[in-house]
Amino acid sequence: MLPIVHTLIPQVWPMTTGNVYRIYRQEVKSMDMFTHLLAWVKYVEWLLGRELCDTDYLFPYIGPNGIPHIDQPMDHNKVQDLINEFTGQAGLKKHYSTHCFRRGGVQCCFMHAPVGQ
């Protein structure tokens, strides 16, 4: 199984630093970032009408008119606003933050993974 390797490079000159993440397909489909990330990349490329470049943000700022600004990162406050909107519409009363999503998958794997995996 081949990983997705996407290099995220800050938008500064000279571009000399970045991070490489190896994302593998998971058996639990709801937790399968590999599949969900591919779908997201295809969606952003559809919005742009072109393939993403190494200097594009994977999660760009998307304006109120739905147009992505690929040279600007999505703001943390916007992400939190979306989480608040989605959880509110789902009837969830508890406050959720980006931390819940960064750590939730690890907790799910430890709780529900078969012994030895």
Side-chain angles (χ1 to χ4, degrees):
M1 155 180 356
L2 296 174
I4 291 177
V5 178
H6 185 79
T7 304
L8 302 175
I9 302 174
Q11 297 283 326
V12 293
W13 186 261
M15 293 184 188
T16 57
T17 61
N19 298 307
V20 175
Y21 301 92
R22 299 193 185 284
I23 302 168
Y24 299 92
R25 190 176 312 275
Q26 302 294 313
E27 290 182 27
V28 180
K29 293 301 177 196
S30 61
M31 300 298 296
D32 184 13
M33 184 177 166
F34 182 91
T35 300
H36 296 299
L37 187 59
L38 282 179
W40 173 253
V41 168
K42 287 179 183 179
Y43 175 69
V44 173
E45 289 176 343
W46 175 79
L47 286 175
L48 293 173
R50 66 171 176 82
E51 291 185 0
L52 288 175
C53 300
D54 285 343
T55 56
D56 292 338
Y57 281 98
L58 190 55
F59 298 101
Y61 169 75
I62 299 178
N65 57 0
I67 296 175
H69 298 268
I70 204 71
D71 59 336
Q72 298 176 33
M74 183 178 283
D75 180 69
H76 177 272
N77 293 332
K78 178 62 176 172
V79 174
Q80 187 61 56
D81 289 346
L82 290 170
I83 291 170
N84 294 343
E85 179 182 343
F86 298 152
T87 57
Q89 289 181 10
L92 303 173
K93 304 290 185 214
K94 186 177 177 183
H95 175 76
Y96 293 89
S97 69
T98 57
H99 177 83
C100 300
F101 292 93
R102 292 191 313 265
R103 303 296 179 235
V106 174
Q107 181 178 355
C108 180
C109 287
F110 280 116
M111 292 172 56
H112 302 293
V115 176
Q117 291 188 4

